[in-house]
């Protein structure tokens, strides 16, 4: 009788475990896995930001509340270098991220620090800092704009290494590669494939290009079909070789790293 009772209890528990599976927290591999293997980084950012009602410059650059965004774009509002030669960027991370998600964010910061003099440091009493929050979409202000700078990084599509690096480079003062002042020598903007309401996202800026080559492989470059009016139609075409890869989503390019080091005069 005891054996029959134990078997019955075991069967009930087995059914319950199948009906209510245990909660599994996301792993680093889950967080960093790519949901759309055929898309560039900016297509993923636009997908994450499609429901945002606030105005975002070029799809993911937030308007600072303290001063004119365009001035920041043109002047590269820089974070200050300490006497040690390192540039410290204070940050906070919202408490509603899993530990695994925080690790992905901090690993992207460490990747930048390993190749530059930039150091992202947990905020203590600093007035100027970036506040990384689990808000809708992926976006950042450009450069140091003063006070608390909201840095949106939704767990739904934005917590991946490449996207985090992209937004961190915005926070350091960089905007998108396709809007640099000399872009017409390297890419053709296909205005006929861009909705009129989105055309402003492709306007050139009066940029300081830091004597670096145009970088098709930059983590900051739009993909070929960004803001396209119809699936598959290119909004950006590389010239003179139209088959050159444009944009990627894995890691900063060598020229991205070079730009950071030049802008902040890093002595490595």
């Amino acid at each position: 009788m005891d054996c029959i009772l134990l078997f019955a209890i075991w069967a009930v528990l087995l059914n319950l475990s199948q009906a209510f599976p245990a909660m599994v927290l996301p792993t680093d591999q889950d967080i960093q896995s790519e949901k759309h293997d055929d898309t560039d980084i900016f297509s993923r950012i636009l997908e994450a930001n499609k429901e945002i009602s606030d105005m975002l410059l070029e799809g993911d650059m937030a308007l600072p509340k303290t001063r004119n965004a365009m001035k920041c774009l043109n002047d590269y509002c820089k974070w200050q270098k300490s006497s040690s030669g390192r540039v410290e960027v204070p940050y906070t991370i919202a408490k509603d991220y899993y530990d695994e998600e925080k690790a992905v964010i901090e690993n992207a910061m460490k990747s930048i620090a390993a190749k530059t003099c930039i150091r992202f440091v947990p905020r203590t009493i600093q007035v100027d800092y970036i506040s990384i929050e689990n808000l809708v979409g992926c976006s950042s202000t450009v450069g140091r704009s003063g006070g608390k700078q909201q840095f949106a990084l939704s767990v739904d599509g934005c917590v991946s290494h490449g996207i985090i690096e992209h937004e961190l480079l915005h926070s350091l003062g960089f905007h998108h590669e396709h809007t640099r002042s000399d872009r017409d020598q390297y890419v053709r903007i296909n205005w006929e494939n861009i909705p009129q309401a989105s055309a402003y996202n492709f306007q050139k800026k009066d940029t300081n290009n830091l004597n670096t080559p145009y970088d098709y492989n930059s983590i900051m470059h739009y993909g070929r079909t960004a803001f396209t009016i119809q699936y598959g139609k290119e909004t950006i075409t590389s010239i003179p070789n139209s088959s050159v890869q444009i944009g990627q989503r894995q890691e900063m390019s060598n020229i991205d790293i070079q730009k950071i080091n030049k802008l902040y005069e890093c002595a490595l």
Side-chain angles (χ1 to χ4, degrees), residues 130-149:
I130 59 175
S131 175
I132 302 173
E133 302 176 21
N134 180 17
L135 304 173
V136 176
C138 336
S139 64
S140 171
T141 52
V142 177
R144 181 174 59 87
S145 60
K148 174 183 175 180
Q149 298 177 209

Side-chain angles (χ1 to χ4, degrees), residues 22-175:
M23 178 181 292
V24 179
L25 296 179
T27 64
D28 283 347
Q29 184 175 0
D30 292 333
I31 296 168
Q32 296 186 67
S33 64
E34 304 294 345
K35 295 181 180 179
H36 306 290
D37 290 337
D38 60 343
T39 57
D40 60 88
I41 192 171
F42 203 75
S43 294
R44 292 188 60 189
I45 290 174
L46 289 181
E47 177 66 21
N49 290 353
K50 65 183 180 181
E51 296 183 2
I52 297 178
S53 58
D54 293 339
M55 182 69 169
L56 291 175
L57 295 173
E58 298 176 22
D60 70 333
M61 297 189 297
L63 291 165
K65 301 182 185 304
T66 54
R67 58 192 167 93
N68 185 291
M70 296 309 298
K71 183 176 187 297
C72 185
L73 284 172
N74 289 332
D75 291 347
Y76 290 106
C77 311
K78 294 166 63 174
W79 297 85
Q80 299 302 306
K81 183 181 288 187
S82 68
S83 58
S84 68
R86 295 178 177 177
V87 178
E88 294 191 348
V89 182
Y91 72 91
T92 59
I93 299 179
K95 295 180 179 180
D96 54 347
Y97 290 105
Y98 286 123
D99 288 342
E100 290 83 356
E101 293 163 339
K102 291 179 182 177
V104 175
I105 295 169
E106 290 176 343
N107 283 340
M109 294 176 172
K110 290 175 183 176
S111 180
I112 295 173
K115 301 158 188 171
T116 70
C117 61
I118 305 298
R119 298 294 183 269
F120 294 93
V121 297
R123 182 202 180 213
T124 52
I125 60 172
Q126 296 93 332
V127 175
D128 298 344
Y129 67 101
I130 59 175
S131 175
I132 302 173
E133 302 176 21
N134 180 17
L135 304 173
V136 176
C138 336
S139 64
S140 171
T141 52
V142 177
R144 181 174 59 87
S145 60
K148 174 183 175 180
Q149 298 177 209
Q150 200 168 72
F151 187 111
L153 203 63
S154 169
V155 296
D156 185 16
C158 296
V159 183
S160 70
H161 186 84
I163 289 178
I164 297 166
E165 279 196 343
H166 179 101
E167 300 302 338
L168 287 174
L169 261 65
H170 277 320
S171 73
L172 290 176
F174 295 95
H175 48 85

Side-chain angles (χ1 to χ4, degrees), residues 211-224:
N211 293 317
T212 59
Y214 190 88
D215 189 9
Y216 296 107
N217 197 45
S218 172
I219 199 81
M220 305 304 289
H221 205 301
Y222 272 21
R224 289 184 176 274

